[in-house]
Amino acid sequence: MSKLKKFAGILLALVMCFGLTCTAFAANIVVENTTTDKTYTAYKIFDATASGSAVSYTIDSSSVWYSTVNAATDVFTLTQAGEGSTTYYVTVNEDVDDADVIAVFASVPTGAVAAATGTGNGGSLTLNVGDAGYYYITTTTGSAVTITTTTNTITVVDKNQVPGGDLNKTVSDTKAQIGDSVTYTITSNVPAYNGETKIENYTFTDTLSDGLTAPVATGVTVTIKDASGNTVSVDEGVISVTVKDNVITVSYDPTKIDNYPADATIEIKYTATVNTEAAYANGNTVKQTWTENSDGKTVTETVYTYGFNLQKVDGSDGTTQLPGAKFKLYTSATGGEAITFSCADGVYTVDPDGDVTEIEAGYATIFGLDADVTYYLEETQAPAGYNVLKNRVSVTVSTTGTSETEGTVNISQTEKVENNSGTSLPTTGGMGTTIFYVVGGVLVVGAVVL
């Protein structure tokens, strides 16, 4: 009798594991937190009978499970019900723990007949198994749970779903000019349970770098969907969105959402602006947590900003630097408005609100541009003694021309713009008045001849 009680106790303890489901005397097994469109199948391993609080388990040698149980001599002891009987009482050996029992039933033997099957719907699924017994429930998710009970209906939780396993973040463009807007999309699974624990809070903390300006809270959209992609209706105020110090926080309690899907997903979407604090790499990191002590998961998406060095040189040798030139930068070969900048220490940073439109060279650094985009330099003033360029000069910014060291942008891409000196005109030391003397002399000679 003591071993029978021990066996019943072990089976009851196995409710903490999801991989094997067993129930005694249960006409119905209700599986909560089912995964949509996944198949749940119940198989009976042992028959069960009760006398008061005592439960005994038996298996017949004709059962497809018999060879599995009989081979597990370190876990189970089989006692023949009587001489010549094909029925055996099942007891659990001393010092056997839950994991040992679960390991025995790691797979379904060939020829096993299902007692009941059903398809998950994101909520509750009832399997009508009919007879009392010890049941093994498999799912096409590869998970299970082990239980035992003396009631007609028992409820178990599918603990297969784990939060944060597929947290993902994307951005509409990883290359941008200062002033451009980029759209971020965060997605993740947000199931109703974490293991056997019902989740009562999800929090997403999204931290933007200084080079990105976050939207206001109303600019953040949050959508909960079921496994089929249908949007779940959420009452106003259940989902909290705050924006403070460039940190976006989204939190909500799943238990306050009616008909919350067991296998729900979330989509968080917003648009940020690349600002004048931008560096070469502008990171954006989101963290998902669901309890105070959860490790959570983080994902970072980066937007890069680029630039180039402008060097004004003498066209005769291609190397002599010429100070005194001025340029404007455009996004088109003709027409359009010049890009505006803010300037400090020879670095011209793109600034939509800036008041600088002319770049002075010799040598200057231009930063805050998009990559793989062609820009156009228009010379508005040439160095003294040189001609102004007639046409705009194209510059294609490369993604390989920029690197980041200790937060300082170092631009290796250099564009040389050449100027040629002006055409020579007569000056002192030239022919001067000699021509007039020559012509006058010819005229005098002609007059004498006449």
Side-chain angles (χ1 to χ4, degrees), residues 33 35 143 158-167 188-195 199 202 262 264 288 290:
N33 198 43
T35 301
S143 303
D158 179 344
K159 309 176 188 69
N160 178 57
Q161 298 160 39
V162 178
D166 61 352
L167 178 64
S188 184
N189 61 323
V190 280
Y193 286 82
N194 177 28
I199 295 176
Y202 275 112
Q288 176 184 356
W290 47 92

Side-chain angles (χ1 to χ4, degrees), residues 215-234:
V216 296
T218 54
V220 181
T221 61
V222 183
T223 307
I224 307 292
K225 298 181 180 180
D226 62 21
S228 300
N230 301 312
T231 300
V232 177
S233 178
V234 180

Side-chain angles (χ1 to χ4, degrees), residues 103-152:
V104 173
F105 306 115
S107 62
V108 178
T110 302
V113 178
T117 61
T119 302
N121 55 14
S124 298
L125 169 66
T126 299
L127 299 176
N128 299 309
V129 294
D131 297 331
Y134 177 44
Y135 286 89
Y136 175 61
I137 296 181
T138 65
T139 78
T140 49
T141 63
S143 303
V145 61
T146 307
I147 61 166
T148 184
T149 181
T150 56
T151 62
N152 290 327

Side-chain angles (χ1 to χ4, degrees), residues 312-313 322 324-328 358 377-393 417-423:
K312 186 67 173 178
V313 296
L322 300 176
K326 292 183 179 181
F327 294 87
K328 289 186 177 181
E358 286 191 314
L377 285 164
E378 180 181 289
E379 190 172 39
T380 58
Q381 176 180 306
Y386 289 80
N387 294 329
V388 174
L389 298 177
K390 293 181 179 180
N391 300 311
R392 294 179 182 177
V393 178
V417 179
E418 297 181 351
N419 272 94
N420 293 311
S421 59
T423 302

Side-chain angles (χ1 to χ4, degrees), residues 5-335:
K5 289 184 179 180
K6 173 180 174 60
F7 182 63
I10 286 180
L11 294 181
L12 182 59
L14 295 181
V15 71
M16 302 300 292
C17 308
F18 188 70
L20 179 68
T21 300
C22 129
T23 182
F25 323 118
N28 300 312
I29 300 175
V30 179
V31 183
E32 295 283 359
N33 198 43
T34 60
T35 301
T36 301
D37 296 330
K38 299 299 181 181
T39 301
Y40 292 76
T41 306
Y43 299 91
K44 185 165 72 169
I45 301 174
F46 303 137
D47 291 318
T49 58
S51 176
S53 60
V55 182
S56 63
Y57 296 89
T58 59
I59 188 171
D60 195 90
S61 60
S62 63
S63 170
V64 295
W65 295 93
Y66 177 79
S67 60
T68 299
V69 176
N70 189 46
T73 56
D74 55 338
V75 177
F76 298 112
T77 295
L78 299 183
T79 304
Q80 193 172 22
E83 186 176 354
S85 175
T86 59
T87 299
Y88 292 82
Y89 291 103
V90 182
T91 55
V92 177
N93 298 334
E94 295 289 343
D95 301 322
V96 170
D97 59 23
D98 301 349
D100 296 328
V101 176
I102 294 171
V104 173
F105 306 115
S107 62
V108 178
T110 302
V113 178
T117 61
T119 302
N121 55 14
S124 298
L125 169 66
T126 299
L127 299 176
N128 299 309
V129 294
D131 297 331
Y134 177 44
Y135 286 89
Y136 175 61
I137 296 181
T138 65
T139 78
T140 49
T141 63
S143 303
V145 61
T146 307
I147 61 166
T148 184
T149 181
T150 56
T151 62
N152 290 327
T153 299
I154 187 65
T155 299
V156 298
V157 176
D158 179 344
K159 309 176 188 69
N160 178 57
Q161 298 160 39
V162 178
D166 61 352
L167 178 64
N168 188 40
K169 186 174 192 175
T170 60
V171 64
S172 57
D173 197 344
T174 59
K175 300 169 293 187
Q177 177 177 305
I178 290 174
D180 287 351
S181 295
V182 289
T183 299
Y184 291 92
T185 303
I186 300 166
T187 57
S188 184
N189 61 323
V190 280
Y193 286 82
N194 177 28
E196 66 174 347
T197 304
K198 197 170 185 66
I199 295 176
E200 297 184 358
N201 177 268
Y202 275 112
T203 299
F204 293 84
T205 306
D206 196 30
T207 304
L208 287 69
S209 65
D210 291 340
L212 297 165
T213 301
V216 296
T218 54
V220 181
T221 61
V222 183
T223 307
I224 307 292
K225 298 181 180 180
D226 62 21
S228 300
N230 301 312
T231 300
V232 177
S233 178
V234 180
D235 292 338
E236 185 176 354
V238 172
I239 298 177
S240 170
V241 179
T242 61
V243 179
K244 183 179 180 181
D245 297 331
N246 237 26
V247 177
I248 300 172
T249 304
V250 176
S251 62
Y252 71 99
D253 182 351
T255 65
K256 294 183 178 180
I257 299 176
D258 294 336
N259 302 314
Y260 187 82
D263 44 8
T265 59
I266 192 171
E267 179 185 88
I268 303 170
K269 201 168 188 175
Y270 65 88
T271 297
T273 303
V274 183
N275 61 46
T276 55
E277 297 296 319
Y280 162 59
N282 304 282
N284 187 337
T285 301
V286 62
K287 182 175 183 179
Q288 176 184 356
T289 56
W290 47 92
T291 65
E292 184 176 349
N293 298 319
S294 61
D295 293 335
K297 181 180 179 180
T298 60
V299 175
T300 299
E301 186 64 76
T302 303
V303 173
Y304 297 90
T305 304
Y306 302 84
F308 66 92
N309 294 315
L310 172 61
Q311 187 173 357
K312 186 67 173 178
V313 296
D314 191 321
S316 64
D317 58 21
T319 58
T320 302
Q321 189 169 299
L322 300 176
K326 292 183 179 181
F327 294 87
K328 289 186 177 181
L329 189 65
Y330 295 85
T331 56
S332 57
T334 59

